[in-house]
Amino acid sequence: ANCRREISTQGARARSVHAAMSGALMATKWERRVASKSRDLLLICASYLYTAKVDEVASLFVQGAVDADRLLHRARRDWKNPHERTKFDLDAMSNSQCKLATRFNKDKFRNLFHALRMPAQYRSKHGGMVISGEEALWIFLVRMANPGTWHILGPTMHHVHRPVCSDIFYQVLDHVYSYKHCINDINRWSRHMPAFRETLKRNGCPFDTCIGFIDGTLVAMNRPRGGYSPVTMDGIQRSVYSGHKKRHGLKYQCVILPNGIIGDFYGPVLGRRTDGFMLAQSNLLNRMHTLQIGGVQYVVYGDPAYALSRYIVRAYKGPNLSARRRRLNRRMRPLRISVEWGFGGIEQQWGLLRYPKGMYLMKQPLAKIYTAAALLHNLHVLSGHGNLTLNWFATKGNTTDDIDSTPIRQTLPTMDEYLNAAQL
């Protein structure tokens, strides 16, 4: 009876051990703890069964405990033994494996490597280990694309030691962050403004000169703690706490273009700040002032949180709107949602941002990480994988059967042009 009660209450642990015995690697502390306790539980059950003279069933429990102990030994060995490291070979992988791990297939992965002008080798500060540039980019993309800890990502990293992985990740992050100028100036896209304007008009936009959508987002992080006096830490926590979202985080501002690209990016600012404050700090209005082609002043559309100006049009707000204003808000609502698709696409592709408990304000370069994620979002679109915003504007209102030949898709440059050309 005691055995039956214990086994019924530990069903989840038994299922976890069964999954591990089926070939899964127990990489996390939780999995190893579960396997250890389950091993002890199996031995206890075996002792009860031996007492009850059920030797055949007891031997099965003992064998299960031995298997669990063997898996525990293998999980410890995989991280600690440097001779167990497997060689990185991109050619031996399938396209689906590469895309699942890095969000790029093999050809696009190599194109990204050459477009970023990455070094041929990286040297870690921990032990002087040298790895190739492609493997360094692999480590960076896998870390960006997957939430969790280095323990979970160990097999994907070909069992490179955790300190080495972490050091290589931050070296590649600094290299990618050096291209931040590619994402913070909307004037780089000035040649394509007529195409953006026509695309939005064809999709029902009532504003003749609108070329994109502006909005801000809060990227959640762990509550700041430690390292300062209680008074100072309280001030830091208050500064990054958003009363609207009820969480700690940093805010960023994006202008999403109809081709799915982030045309203008700014951040971070403290989480307690409003979208209007972020707009004033970003200097976007001055950049929009120079965005005049043929005497036409282009504008971007925002939600009611923004003030109406010469360069920003917004939705009407208030309880007693006229029928005309309500109709205009309804027409713009399905178009403005594309900016939310942009923010959602960044967090969906780069899962590290979906792990706020691993984001620490004074321990990690959070601004670099989100800026790199936004840049990778643009490169992912330019690589040909597309995104929801681009597909929606390319298909809706399109009269031709060939979607790839639509004017909005013709505005996309190559990754090399995007990273290294002054004007697109």
Side-chain angles (χ1 to χ4, degrees):
N2 290 336
C3 283
R4 194 177 298 111
R5 189 181 304 111
E6 285 293 325
I7 293 174
S8 63
T9 56
Q10 303 295 336
R13 292 180 177 177
R15 286 192 295 271
S16 177
V17 173
H18 177 73
M21 292 177 182
S22 300
L25 176 64
M26 292 181 295
T28 65
K29 293 181 180 179
W30 181 86
E31 289 173 336
R32 291 196 292 271
R33 190 182 302 117
V34 166
S36 178
K37 291 183 177 180
S38 300
R39 176 194 57 189
D40 298 339
L41 175 63
L42 290 170
L43 290 175
I44 292 172
C45 294
S47 65
Y48 277 112
L49 291 171
Y50 278 125
T51 305
K53 308 296 184 181
V54 190
D55 295 347
E56 295 182 0
V57 181
S59 63
L60 295 178
F61 277 80
V62 172
Q63 184 61 41
V66 172
D67 291 340
D69 189 73
R70 185 182 300 113
L71 287 170
L72 282 170
H73 177 71
R74 189 186 72 179
R76 297 189 189 101
R77 181 194 64 192
D78 285 336
W79 271 114
K80 294 182 178 180
N81 190 354
H83 300 290
E84 295 292 330
R85 180 175 181 264
T86 58
K87 184 179 179 180
F88 175 78
D89 188 5
L90 187 62
D91 294 327
M93 303 178 191
S94 64
N95 271 328
S96 59
Q97 289 175 334
C98 186
K99 188 174 181 180
L100 180 63
T102 65
R103 303 298 185 261
F104 294 88
N105 59 33
K106 292 196 295 184
D107 293 336
K108 304 303 181 183
F109 179 87
R110 289 194 171 95
N111 292 342
L112 177 64
F113 174 78
H114 294 299
L116 288 172
R117 306 285 198 272
M118 294 189 63
Q121 290 182 338
Y122 279 86
R123 180 181 295 274
S124 171
K125 300 176 183 177
H126 299 277
M129 182 178 180
V130 177
I131 65 174
S132 65
E134 283 192 351
E135 186 172 4
L137 181 60
W138 173 275
I139 292 174
F140 174 74
L141 292 178
V142 170
R143 181 65 176 129
M144 290 291 294
N146 297 277
T149 62
W150 290 110
H151 287 280
I152 299 175
L153 302 178
T156 315
M157 303 296 186
H158 303 275
H159 304 290
V160 180
H161 288 184
R162 283 167 288 170
V164 176
C165 287
S166 180
D167 181 49
I168 295 299
F169 171 79
Y170 287 112
Q171 288 188 41
V172 180
L173 177 64
D174 291 338
H175 181 81
V176 174
Y177 186 73
S178 66
Y179 288 93
K180 64 179 181 179
H181 62 276
C182 298
I183 203 173
N184 59 9
D185 187 6
I186 195 173
N187 288 287
R188 296 185 71 209
W189 299 89
S190 58
R191 186 169 65 90
H192 302 292
M193 292 301 162
F196 298 152
R197 171 189 177 185
E198 292 301 323
T199 299
L200 292 181
K201 287 179 63 177
R202 189 173 63 250
N203 285 272
C205 180
F207 300 103
D208 292 337
T209 59
C210 183
I211 50 90
F213 305 92
I214 182 173
D215 200 5
T217 186
L218 179 79
V219 180
M221 65 181 181
N222 205 345
R223 179 170 64 90
R225 64 190 74 181
Y228 293 90
S229 66
V231 176
T232 303
M233 184 53 60
D234 181 68
I236 294 175
Q237 292 177 359
R238 288 175 181 271
S239 65
V240 297
Y241 183 77
S242 172
H244 174 61
K245 298 292 186 178
K246 301 297 188 293
R247 58 174 57 184
H248 297 86
L250 298 174
K251 299 191 74 173
Y252 301 86
Q253 174 184 280
C254 291
V255 175
I256 302 293
L257 301 175
N259 58 2
I261 294 292
I262 298 175
D264 197 279
F265 178 86
Y266 177 77
V269 298
L270 298 177
R272 67 184 181 92
R273 296 297 187 179
T274 62
D275 290 348
F277 175 86
M278 189 160 45
L279 174 64
Q281 294 293 315
S282 66
N283 205 27
L284 174 64
L285 298 182
N286 290 337
R287 292 193 292 275
M288 292 294 297
H289 176 71
T290 61
L291 198 61
Q292 294 186 13
I293 302 175
V296 177
Q297 176 62 61
Y298 293 101
V299 298
V300 293
Y301 183 85
D303 58 26
Y306 292 97
L308 189 65
S309 69
R310 182 183 178 187
Y311 314 108
I312 296 180
V313 292
R314 66 173 190 184
Y316 293 101
K317 59 181 179 179
N320 300 316
L321 295 178
S322 64
R324 174 181 171 276
R325 293 187 173 185
R326 289 198 302 270
R327 187 166 55 252
L328 186 142
N329 285 349
R330 284 196 301 269
R331 291 178 63 183
M332 290 300 299
R333 193 175 296 121
L335 300 178
R336 201 201 71 83
I337 199 66
S338 61
V339 71
E340 305 296 344
W341 291 342
F343 290 131
I346 295 176
E347 294 191 4
Q348 182 181 10
Q349 292 169 359
W350 312 110
L352 181 61
L353 306 175
R354 301 197 306 268
Y355 190 61
K357 290 186 177 181
M359 296 288 189
Y360 293 93
L361 179 61
M362 290 165 285
K363 295 182 180 180
Q364 294 170 295
L366 301 184
K368 284 186 177 181
I369 291 175
Y370 194 82
T371 303
L375 182 63
L376 289 174
H377 166 81
N378 283 0
L379 294 172
H380 188 266
V381 176
L382 297 177
S383 66
H385 293 293
N387 69 348
L388 188 59
T389 303
L390 174 61
N391 296 335
W392 193 79
F393 280 111
T395 55
K396 188 176 180 182
N398 181 33
T399 58
T400 62
D401 295 332
D402 188 7
I403 299 178
D404 294 333
S405 63
T406 55
I408 194 62
R409 287 187 179 271
Q410 300 301 320
T411 62
L412 296 176
T414 63
M415 287 190 290
D416 189 72
E417 293 173 348
Y418 176 75
L419 293 174
N420 302 292
Q423 283 290 332
L424 303 174

